[in-house]
């Protein structure tokens, strides 16, 4: 077999379809983010980042950075092993306690990423609950889909946030059969929010566990940043919560929170947890401080929500095709992968604005978009420059504006 040819042909397919991914080489400016520098052709220049998942800018917070420096000086760079073999440091123990408290659960379990936490936990639940049927929301993240697939067994896909469809499918299964309803609180590409309480009602009615991915909500919603379930007052009704340290909390890593026995069983049976080196102590230390800060300080959340409302208002007034939603996600529909890439290239090259194109398979074909994420640190002037650049490119590329467009100021 001509292996080289096979790889080249596979890459050419992506390029022909306009969805070959190119990484932007950037360096965030500490203390000035969303300002950053873009490196290309042997030089660098200042840019403004509009697509970061460090939603609150906590990756730049002075207290977080100080904690990481202190832990680095005290414990060194790496953890030195898996959690079972020398890799459980006091920083990890403290972080798991903070996360359990954040979600009102008995305990939590750290992973190297939320992807690994989802993949590993959902696959391992199959081992622990023979005959398990997983009811998966149609818009679930790739990590949840991977975990459900890797665990084997039966799965049932229900339409996104469609309670009638979920109940109809639950009715078709014996109540005594083990079941898990797996869904997200905030769907990161559309910005839609799940009716968590109503899903918990169905879970109780039909004898199912609930598995909630709060990755795009932890830190951002709720009085203490516990996520959408905390905001809605239903966190105590959710059996397993998955979250990340890499978005609202600004660091990296993932976790689950639940009962002591549930987390202990995953800890004891999951290869994705057992056989991997634990997070670096400095990362765990920074996450502890970030969580503690957001538990007691809502200023970042309040500013973040205000910035989101303001940007959405400016985009609507300009007639840009905003995919409206109740969350902090700001998607603009383009609907063509080639034009989406051309748009983001021009934003970076001509306007020093960095937005990453979102194409298939992250979103369905025909729904290619720009996914914009305002942060507390974005100014009104930043927003005005973004909207003006988008309007210029939308017109040049011949893309339609909404009918309610108003004259730009």
């Amino acid at each position: 077999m001509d292996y080289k040819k096979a790889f080249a042909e596979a890459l050419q397919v992506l390029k022909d379809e306009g969805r070959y991914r190119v990484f932007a080489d950037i360096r965030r400016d500490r203390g000035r983010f969303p300002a950053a520098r873009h490196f290309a052709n042997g030089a660098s220049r200042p840019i403004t980042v509009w697509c970061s998942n460090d939603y609150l800018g906590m990756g730049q917070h002075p207290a977080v950075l100080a904690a990481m420096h202190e832990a680095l000086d005290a414990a060194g760079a790496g953890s030195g092993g898996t959690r079972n073999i020398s890799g459980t440091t006091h920083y990890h123990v403290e972080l798991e306690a903070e996360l359990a408290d954040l979600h009102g659960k008995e305990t939590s379990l750290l992973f190297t990423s939320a992807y690994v936490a989802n993949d590993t936990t959902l696959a391992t639940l199959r081992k622990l609950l023979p005959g398990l049927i997983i009811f998966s929301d149609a818009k679930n993240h790739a990590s949840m889909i991977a975990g459900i697939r890797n665990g084997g067994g039966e799965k049932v896909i229900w339409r996104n946030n469609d309670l009638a469809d979920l109940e109809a499918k639950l009715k078709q299964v014996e109540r005594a059969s083990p079941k898990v309803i797996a869904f997200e609180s905030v769907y990161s590409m559309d910005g839609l929010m799940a009716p968590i309480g109503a899903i918990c009602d169905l879970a109780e009615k039909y004898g199912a566990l609930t598995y909630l991915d709060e990755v795009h909500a932890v830190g951002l919603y709720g009085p203490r940043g516990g996520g959408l379930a905390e905001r809605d007052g239903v966190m105590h009704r959710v059996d397993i919560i998955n979250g990340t340290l890499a978005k609202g909390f600004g660091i990296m890593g993932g976790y689950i929170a639940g009962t002591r026995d549930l987390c202990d069983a995953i800890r004891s049976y999951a290869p994705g947890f057992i056989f991997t080196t634990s997070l670096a102590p400095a990362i765990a230390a920074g996450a502890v401080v970030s969580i503690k800060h957001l538990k007691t300080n809502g200023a970042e959340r309040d500013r973040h929500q205000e910035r989101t409302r303001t940007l959405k208002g400016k985009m609507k007034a300009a007639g840009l095709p905003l995919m409206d939603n109740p969350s902090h996600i700001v998607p603009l529909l383009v609907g063509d992968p080639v034009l989406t890439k051309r748009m983001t290239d021009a934003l970076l090259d001509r306007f020093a604005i960095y937005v990453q194109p979102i194409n298939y398979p992250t979103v369905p074909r025909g729904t290619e978009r720009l996914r914009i994420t305002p942060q507390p640190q974005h100014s009104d002037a930043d927003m005005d420059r973004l909207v003006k650049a988008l309007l210029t490119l939308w017109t040049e590329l011949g893309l339609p504006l909404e009918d309610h467009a108003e004259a730009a100021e």
Side-chain angles (χ1 to χ4, degrees):
M1 180 176 181
D2 187 340
Y3 297 106
K4 183 176 180 180
K5 180 181 178 183
F7 297 140
E9 289 177 347
L11 291 172
Q12 192 60 48
V13 168
L14 298 179
K15 292 174 181 178
D16 291 343
E17 293 181 3
R19 58 188 184 94
Y20 177 74
R21 300 181 185 211
V22 178
F23 295 160
D25 182 354
I26 69 170
R27 186 192 67 206
R28 308 204 301 175
D29 288 347
R30 190 185 77 169
R32 296 183 60 245
F33 194 70
R37 296 200 71 82
H38 177 232
F39 293 80
N41 303 315
S44 71
R45 64 187 179 117
I47 61 169
T48 302
V49 177
W50 275 100
C51 57
S52 174
N53 281 340
D54 183 2
Y55 292 128
L56 301 179
M58 290 302 294
Q60 305 282 307
H61 196 284
V64 172
L65 300 181
M68 296 182 75
H69 280 294
E70 183 179 344
L72 185 64
D73 291 339
S79 68
T82 65
R83 288 293 298 276
N84 186 52
I85 305 175
S86 82
T88 296
T89 72
H90 182 66
Y91 302 98
H92 297 86
V93 174
E94 187 178 9
L95 177 52
E96 287 177 336
E98 283 294 334
L99 289 166
D101 174 77
L102 176 68
H103 293 292
K105 302 300 181 187
E106 292 178 357
T107 192
S108 73
L109 191 65
L110 280 172
F111 292 81
T112 51
S113 73
Y115 187 108
V116 174
N118 270 335
D119 186 356
T120 298
T121 302
L122 287 166
T124 304
L125 285 173
R126 297 279 200 189
K127 299 179 185 178
L128 299 170
L129 302 170
L132 176 66
I133 303 169
I134 298 181
F135 292 78
S136 178
D137 187 286
K139 288 187 180 293
N140 275 343
H141 189 264
S143 58
M144 300 174 78
I145 295 169
I148 294 166
R149 181 187 299 117
N150 292 340
E154 186 176 352
K155 70 175 183 295
V156 177
I157 299 173
W158 51 287
R159 290 192 295 271
N160 177 236
N161 287 345
D162 189 328
L163 297 173
D165 188 50
L166 174 58
E167 182 164 24
K169 288 176 165 61
L170 286 166
K171 283 180 177 178
Q172 298 174 12
V173 176
E174 291 287 337
R175 195 182 191 285
S177 300
K179 297 177 283 293
V180 168
I181 301 173
F183 61 108
E184 299 183 41
S185 61
V186 176
Y187 291 88
S188 63
M189 292 299 136
D190 297 326
L192 302 175
M193 292 179 167
I196 302 173
I199 293 172
C200 289
D201 290 341
L202 291 177
E204 292 168 7
K205 182 177 180 179
Y206 292 97
L209 293 175
T210 46
Y211 185 101
L212 174 62
D213 180 317
E214 286 263 40
V215 161
H216 291 273
V218 288
L220 307 177
Y221 298 94
R224 301 198 310 157
L228 210 61
E230 184 191 29
R231 188 202 71 173
D232 294 349
V234 295
M235 193 161 57
H236 63 288
R237 301 181 63 193
V238 178
D239 295 297
I240 308 167
I241 292 177
N242 167 276
T244 186
L245 305 171
K247 294 180 172 62
F249 297 123
I251 318 294
M252 69 170 291
Y255 63 89
I256 60 168
T259 66
R260 196 168 307 280
D261 283 349
L262 176 279
C263 290
D264 196 12
I266 300 298
R267 180 188 73 88
S268 301
Y269 281 87
F273 176 84
I274 295 170
F275 297 107
T276 192
T277 299
S278 63
L279 291 170
I283 290 173
V288 167
V289 170
S290 183
I291 294 165
K292 284 183 174 179
H293 174 83
L294 291 174
K295 280 180 179 177
T296 58
N297 191 325
E300 287 86 1
R301 281 190 290 278
D302 293 342
R303 172 72 172 172
H304 182 236
Q305 290 295 316
E306 181 276 321
R307 294 284 79 189
T308 299
R309 290 192 300 270
T310 298
L311 180 61
K312 286 183 175 181
K314 288 177 180 291
M315 288 185 167
K316 288 180 180 179
L320 291 166
L322 176 68
M323 301 170 68
D324 209 3
N325 63 71
S327 77
H328 58 282
I329 307 297
V330 184
L332 290 179
L333 181 65
V334 179
D336 179 276
V338 175
L339 291 180
T340 304
K341 181 66 166 59
R342 193 178 301 169
M343 174 86 65
T344 57
D345 285 349
L347 282 171
L348 186 58
D349 295 340
R350 291 168 52 187
F351 299 97
I353 290 172
Y354 173 40
V355 179
Q356 192 69 14
I358 305 297
N359 293 327
Y360 177 85
T362 305
V363 295
R365 297 179 193 275
T367 69
E368 294 83 4
R369 67 198 66 176
L370 309 184
R371 178 184 180 273
I372 295 167
T373 52
Q375 296 179 239
Q377 296 79 13
H378 282 114
S379 68
D380 284 350
D382 290 331
M383 293 185 182
D384 291 340
R385 283 193 294 271
L386 172 65
V387 171
K388 184 177 181 180
L390 287 169
L391 276 174
T392 297
L393 295 174
W394 231 266
T395 302
E396 288 179 2
L397 294 174
L399 293 168
L401 295 169
E402 300 290 343
D403 292 338
H404 60 269
E406 298 174 8
E409 294 293 326

